Amino acid sequence: MNTMSRKSGRLYLVDLAGSEQVKKAGTDHGNALKEATTINQSLTQLGVVIRHLTDKKLTHVPYRDSKLT
């Protein structure tokens, strides 16, 4: 019996300009600091989602842990 399967998916890339290191960018106060912190948290969560998608041992993918993912 010859069974073939195909999987497909979509990858959306987002340019997150301003997601540099807070100290290096000089965003050490106000809204700029909040924005940089939020972007960095979202990038971290995106990394977690990608790791879960690529590791066959991990069954749950935490998509809803961030608006970015």
Side-chain angles (χ1 to χ4, degrees), residues 47-61:
V48 169
V49 168
I50 291 170
R51 184 170 43 92
H52 278 74
L53 287 170
T54 57
D55 189 343
K56 299 295 182 193
K57 296 175 192 170
L58 302 173
T59 57
H60 173 70
V61 180

Side-chain angles (χ1 to χ4, degrees), residues 2 4-5 12 18 23-24 33 42 52 56 63 66-67 69:
N2 186 7
M4 297 179 68
S5 66
Y12 295 94
K23 189 173 183 178
K24 184 178 179 182
L33 177 60
S42 293
H52 278 74
K56 299 295 182 193
Y63 290 112
S66 171
K67 289 182 182 179
T69 56

Side-chain angles (χ1 to χ4, degrees), residues 18-20 22 27 31-41:
S19 62
E20 311 90 6
V22 172
T27 54
N31 287 338
L33 177 60
K34 281 184 183 180
E35 183 178 335
T37 302
T38 302
I39 289 170
N40 286 334
Q41 288 173 344

Side-chain angles (χ1 to χ4, degrees), residues 12-20 35 39 43 46 68:
Y12 295 94
L13 300 177
V14 178
D15 180 12
L16 296 171
S19 62
E20 311 90 6
E35 183 178 335
I39 289 170
L43 287 173
L46 178 60
L68 179 64

